[in-house]
Amino acid sequence: MYHDERLAEQIRELAAEFISREASKQSLITVTSVRLYDDNRNATVFFTAYPESHEKTALEFLKRKRPDFKEYVKRNAPIGRIPFFDFEIDLGEKNRQRIEELSQEDKKDEG
């Protein structure tokens, strides 16, 4: 289990570095987490994009860059078998942020 967590964190860091180098500066893409599955043969990299209106464009960009990201991981990490990578918008993080916004609004209304 510890190995999986360490691998996921390593992939998260590599994804953040890769995106920082490859993405345009029109939006801020933040890697939030990585989920490994199928005995680490597959990995989903979750991210958020700001402004939110650029999420779809960011997702399309990252899906196009999957082969380049795989090569980047191969060159920069001592990982035996490189998983198949996919990218997804982190809806859980978006929901958490929205709940936080609503909570802040409630506090303002009470005060």
Side-chain angles (χ1 to χ4, degrees), residues 42-84:
N42 295 289
T44 301
V45 178
F46 291 93
F47 71 94
T48 58
Y50 183 84
E52 203 171 309
S53 60
H54 285 80
E55 279 182 342
K56 186 177 182 211
T57 305
L59 180 60
E60 291 167 354
F61 165 77
L62 292 170
K63 285 189 179 277
R64 270 195 322 272
K65 288 294 207 173
R66 284 184 292 208
D68 297 335
F69 178 59
K70 187 168 187 164
E71 273 304 309
Y72 184 81
V73 170
K74 201 181 290 185
R75 283 193 318 269
N76 292 286
I79 298 172
R81 176 181 38 190
I82 307 293
F84 170 80

Side-chain angles (χ1 to χ4, degrees), residues 5-24:
E5 291 170 12
R6 212 173 73 217
L7 178 60
E9 179 59 20
Q10 188 173 24
I11 292 169
R12 190 193 66 74
E13 289 173 6
L14 288 167
E17 291 169 12
F18 177 80
I19 291 167
S20 157
R21 293 173 188 214
E22 297 289 323
S24 74

Side-chain angles (χ1 to χ4, degrees), residues 3 26 32 36 46 62 66 83 86 90 93 109:
H3 175 262
Q26 295 175 348
T32 55
L36 295 162
F46 291 93
L62 292 170
R66 284 184 292 208
D86 203 3
D90 191 340
E93 177 62 15
D109 291 345

